[in-house]
């Protein structure tokens, strides 16, 4: 599997214990996991993330959780 480099993130939320927010950072994805974070990373497959917010762990963020919470509330269902 080829590495993917996410280049020049506008802002990277690390979600680490220090809650760091990094700007202009590159990310190397290898084997489907984050392998390296730094600057000046290179590889054949690059994605320009300048001006983008990068947050780890959000997969399929489109969901209808609110519908489960309001299922028994007719006023909310009809709103």
């Amino acid at each position: 599997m080829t590495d993917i480099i996410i280049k020049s993130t506008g802002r990277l939320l690390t979600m680490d214990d220090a809650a760091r927010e990094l700007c202009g950072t590159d990310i190397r994805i290898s084997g489907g996991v984050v392998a390296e974070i730094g600057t000046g990373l290179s590889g054949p497959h690059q994605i320009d993330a300048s001006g983008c917010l990068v947050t780890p762990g959000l997969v399929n963020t489109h969901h209808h959780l609110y519908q489960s919470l309001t299922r028994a509330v007719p006023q909310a269902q009809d709103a």
Side-chain angles (χ1 to χ4, degrees), residues 14-32:
T14 63
M15 307 300 269
D16 63 7
D17 291 339
R20 294 178 301 149
E21 295 183 12
L22 308 173
C23 297
T25 306
D26 302 339
I27 306 165
R28 179 182 312 278
I29 308 292
S30 183

Side-chain angles (χ1 to χ4, degrees), residues 13-77:
L13 303 180
T14 63
M15 307 300 269
D16 63 7
D17 291 339
R20 294 178 301 149
E21 295 183 12
L22 308 173
C23 297
T25 306
D26 302 339
I27 306 165
R28 179 182 312 278
I29 308 292
S30 183
V33 298
V34 175
E36 184 178 6
I37 297 174
T39 55
L41 302 181
S42 62
H45 300 290
Q46 297 187 11
I47 299 170
D48 179 18
S50 55
C52 296
L53 171 65
V54 178
T55 305
L58 295 179
V59 178
N60 191 15
T61 58
H62 176 93
H63 60 81
H64 297 272
L65 179 62
Y66 70 92
Q67 290 174 334
S68 325
L69 298 173
T70 62
R71 185 167 292 163
V73 183
Q75 298 86 354
Q77 290 175 344

